[in-house]
Amino acid sequence: MKNLLVLIGFLVMLPIQAQEINWMSMNEALEAQQKTPKKIFMDVYTDWCGPCKLLDKKTFHNIDVVTYVNKNYYAVKFNAEGTEEIYYNDFTYTNPNYNPKRKGRNSQHFFANALKIRGYPSIVFFDEKGGVIAPVVGYKTPQQLEVYLKMIQNDDYKNLTTSDAWKKYEKSFVSTFSN
C-alpha cells in the first residue's frame, strides 16, 4: 500500500504536458496544402480583443478541440492588425498603415479586409485549395465550435443552402466534445 501511495504521489508530480494546436502562418499552411491537401482553420484575432483571449484560453486549449483541429486542419493564427506578409491568390497582402507606436487598436491588415472580417475573434475556414469557405464570427465554446469544425470537415456545409437547413442541421447535431 505504501509503495502504491508513493507511485501515485510520483505520478501526480510529473508535469502534465498540455496539448496545443499546431499553429502556423497562412503562408506555411498554403505551402503545406501543396504537398498534402487539407482544409485550413484560421483564427483571426487582435491583441486588444478580450473575447479573442478567452477563445484562446478556454476553447483552443480544450483537448477535444486540439485533437480534432490538429488531425483535420492546418491551423493558422492570424493577427488582423499585424504586419505579416501573406501571399494569397497571386497577391501580397500587407498592413502598410500599421503604427508600431500605437497602443490598442491599429489598422486592419489588408488580408483581413479582403476576407471581410468585421468582428473579432473570427474563424475562417478554407477548402483544400485555399478557397474561402466561410467565416464564423465571435467567441465559441468548444461545443459551439465543434458543429462548425465537423460540418466543414465533412463537407456538410455544401448541402446547407438555406437558413432553415442550417437550423435543422444545428438542432440535430450531437456534440461529443467535453467542456
Side-chain angles (χ1 to χ4, degrees):
M1 182 68 171
K2 184 178 176 183
N3 288 341
L4 180 61
L5 290 174
V6 170
L7 178 61
I8 291 172
F10 176 75
L11 292 174
V12 168
M13 299 294 256
L14 286 176
I16 297 170
Q17 186 170 352
Q19 280 196 320
E20 302 237 346
I21 291 177
N22 299 323
W23 297 110
M24 58 178 53
S25 71
M26 185 62 171
N27 294 331
E28 291 168 335
L30 292 169
E31 189 176 315
Q33 278 188 326
Q34 299 300 314
K35 297 174 188 157
T36 307
K38 208 184 223 190
K39 290 179 175 76
I40 294 173
F41 166 90
M42 176 188 273
D43 171 31
V44 182
Y45 72 97
T46 64
D47 291 333
W48 52 262
C49 167
C52 298
K53 292 173 184 168
L54 191 62
L55 183 69
D56 194 45
K57 182 180 178 183
K58 300 269 186 186
T59 302
F60 293 158
H61 282 87
N62 173 284
I63 190 66
D64 294 319
V65 172
V66 170
T67 303
Y68 195 86
V69 169
N70 285 342
K71 179 180 177 188
N72 296 291
Y73 291 92
Y74 292 118
V76 172
K77 198 117 175 99
F78 173 61
N79 183 347
E81 295 180 353
T83 59
E84 177 183 1
E85 284 190 358
I86 295 180
Y87 308 101
Y88 181 77
N89 287 346
D90 300 321
F91 188 81
T92 302
Y93 292 90
T94 62
N95 190 354
N97 299 317
Y98 175 80
N99 181 349
K101 296 177 184 173
R102 195 171 195 179
K103 301 280 188 221
R105 292 179 187 248
N106 215 308
S107 66
Q108 188 178 50
H109 196 286
F110 283 175
F111 191 57
N113 190 274
L115 295 172
K116 297 178 175 51
I117 301 299
R118 301 288 178 253
Y120 306 109
S122 286
I123 296 167
V124 182
F125 292 93
F126 297 82
D127 65 23
E128 293 85 350
K129 294 182 180 179
V132 177
I133 296 173
V136 177
V137 180
Y139 170 79
K140 302 289 183 241
T141 65
Q143 295 75 26
Q144 290 169 328
L145 181 58
E146 179 183 7
V147 68
Y148 295 100
L149 287 170
K150 292 181 176 178
M151 173 190 62
I152 299 290
Q153 178 55 34
N154 297 329
D155 290 331
D156 292 340
Y157 71 94
K158 293 178 179 179
N159 299 320
L160 303 176
T161 56
T162 66
S163 62
D164 285 341
W166 162 246
K167 287 175 188 172
K168 184 177 178 184
Y169 182 88
E170 189 177 30
K171 186 175 182 177
S172 67
F173 185 80
V174 177
S175 177
T176 61
F177 284 10
S178 65
N179 287 334

